[in-house]
Amino acid sequence: MKSDKVSLFPDERVAIHAKLGSILKGGAPAEILLVIILLFALRPVPKCKAPKKKGQPKRLP
């Protein structure tokens, strides 16, 4: 599946998060669910992932 990425400037990201935060404070349950989905969609992409080590047992939390 191909994902389309949208780049936002830091001030645009801050403005969007501020607006979504105000909806979280006094919104309807459907709006709050939508905001949560949007916040996950707008989170920054990690710069790099740590390489997986082969042969190492998985650590339990």
Side-chain angles (χ1 to χ4, degrees):
M1 176 193 287
K2 180 182 176 186
S3 64
D4 296 327
K5 295 184 180 179
V6 177
S7 296
L8 294 175
F9 293 114
D11 54 341
E12 292 173 326
R13 185 180 301 275
V14 168
I16 290 171
H17 278 85
K19 180 64 177 175
L20 295 177
S22 68
I23 293 172
L24 279 176
K25 285 186 178 180
E31 290 176 333
I32 292 173
L33 182 61
L34 179 63
V35 167
I36 291 170
I37 293 169
L38 288 173
L39 286 173
F40 276 118
L42 292 173
R43 67 183 176 181
V45 178
K47 298 292 180 186
C48 63
K49 291 184 178 180
K52 293 182 179 178
K53 294 181 180 178
K54 294 183 180 181
Q56 297 286 330
K58 291 185 178 181
R59 295 178 65 181
L60 297 175

